[in-house]
Amino acid sequence: MSIFITQLAFINEALIQSSKMMTLLASCLAGLLGFLFYKKKVVIELIKLLLSLIPMSASLKSNIERKLEHPIEDEHLDMLLKLMFKKSFDKKDLLIEEGNKNNYIYFIEQGSCFSYLTEANGEKQVVQFAIEGNWISDLNSFFSEQKAVYSLEALEPLKTLALNKQNFKKACDTIPWFDRFFRVLIQNAYISIQYRLVKTNSEEIEARYKEFSKLHPHFIQRIPQYLIASYLGVKPQSLSRMRKETAHKA
């Protein structure tokens, strides 16, 4: 009888331990599923953290050298940094407001933003997106000193390096490569706009979205789909329907 009781106690302890293991396993699975569900946000936050560890001078230098296709002197980079100053913005803050003069060109250190036109019905027509390592402004207002035709809004908390009109002129006069660098930026922007207009008028939405995803994978992760739809020149419902149909085909 005592042996039987001992065996029952052993079995009971084994069941308790098994139950604990199952609970632990369930907890681990729940954690894993939670991670998979939220992995998009996790990846985005990790990217932001890593980018925040990169010195602003390194990020800016990399951007300039990539555009110029040759290295630049640290002395000249320091000259540019002294002409720029840090400006931070909260989510939904306006860096530029349509109808007001714009006196700044922004280099995005951390975060994302977008420029847009406001249509007569109040809808936003997206013109440009910018994330870390991108430059953005309303250049028409900046150079002509006329009222801005675009608004520029923060999609996430933003850290930027800002260059005003007066210091822009100083940079062109004192930094050997700066004038050429900005000509390259403007040239690339002009080519991009022309290419986008051609694609918008000649390609189906699926082809445009696939190309946008290929060229700007980080935008897909961080930019709301309704804004991407506006950028591509389609209704959000049309983009959503296309993505569902594409997913079913796959």
Side-chain angles (χ1 to χ4, degrees):
M1 183 69 175
S2 61
I3 295 175
F4 180 68
I5 292 174
T6 301
Q7 289 176 334
L8 281 178
F10 177 79
I11 292 171
N12 183 59
E13 180 64 22
L15 287 172
I16 291 173
Q17 294 300 323
S18 176
S19 176
K20 289 180 179 178
M21 287 297 293
M22 290 301 291
T23 301
L24 179 61
L25 180 60
S27 177
C28 290
L29 287 172
L32 178 60
L33 288 173
F35 172 75
L36 291 173
F37 183 76
Y38 289 107
K39 66 178 182 178
K40 177 180 175 181
K41 292 182 179 179
V42 172
V43 169
I44 290 172
E45 292 305 316
L46 283 173
I47 290 172
K48 289 180 184 176
L49 176 61
L50 290 172
L51 287 169
S52 69
L53 298 176
I54 301 174
M56 64 177 182
S57 58
S59 176
L60 182 60
K61 183 177 182 181
S62 175
N63 175 269
I64 294 169
E65 290 182 338
R66 190 168 60 252
K67 294 293 188 296
L68 292 177
E69 299 181 339
H70 65 72
I72 61 173
E73 297 289 337
D74 288 340
E75 176 189 355
H76 295 148
L77 179 64
D78 290 341
M79 289 170 63
L80 176 59
L81 287 170
K82 288 176 181 177
L83 294 173
M84 305 179 81
F85 54 94
K86 292 184 177 182
K87 291 190 74 173
S88 297
F89 301 89
D90 293 326
K91 183 177 179 179
K92 293 189 176 181
D93 278 355
L94 290 178
L95 289 72
I96 302 171
E97 188 170 4
E98 185 178 340
N100 294 335
K101 289 184 179 181
N102 167 47
N103 193 41
Y104 298 102
I105 294 174
Y106 297 97
F107 177 76
I108 308 301
E109 272 193 282
Q110 188 176 345
S112 62
C113 58
F114 72 108
S115 60
Y116 63 89
L117 294 165
T118 304
E119 299 181 345
N121 59 7
E123 290 188 4
K124 297 176 180 179
Q125 178 60 54
V126 176
V127 177
Q128 183 184 356
F129 297 116
I131 60 173
E132 294 85 2
N134 293 154
W135 296 81
I136 192 167
S137 181
D138 181 327
L139 292 180
N140 177 68
S141 177
F142 183 80
F143 287 118
S144 70
E145 299 184 357
Q146 300 297 312
K147 293 180 180 179
V149 293
Y150 305 142
S151 290
L152 179 55
E153 181 178 325
L155 281 169
E156 302 168 341
L158 273 180
K159 292 181 180 180
T160 74
L161 288 173
L163 184 65
N164 63 27
K165 184 72 173 291
Q166 181 180 359
N167 286 347
F168 178 87
K169 292 178 179 178
K170 285 182 182 178
C172 289
D173 292 337
T174 60
I175 301 173
W177 43 258
F178 187 79
D179 185 71
R180 178 173 176 269
F181 168 68
F182 241 86
R183 286 204 308 271
V184 171
L185 280 185
I186 294 172
Q187 170 185 299
N188 290 345
Y190 180 72
I191 292 171
S192 177
I193 290 171
Q194 282 195 322
Y195 185 78
R196 179 181 162 197
L197 287 173
V198 170
K199 291 291 182 178
T200 300
N201 293 323
S202 64
E203 284 190 350
E204 296 295 327
I205 177 176
E206 183 175 352
R208 277 182 277 154
Y209 184 75
K210 283 183 177 179
E211 183 171 34
F212 180 84
S213 303
K214 183 178 179 180
L215 292 174
H216 310 290
H218 297 308
F219 288 0
I220 297 298
Q221 295 292 325
R222 296 170 62 179
I223 307 296
Q225 289 296 306
Y226 76 94
L227 292 179
I228 293 176
S230 174
Y231 179 84
L232 295 174
V234 299
K235 295 293 184 183
Q237 300 89 333
S238 300
L239 180 60
S240 178
R241 184 167 55 251
M242 181 279 296
R243 293 180 69 212
K244 288 179 181 178
E245 291 173 354
T246 303
H248 287 152
K249 290 177 185 177

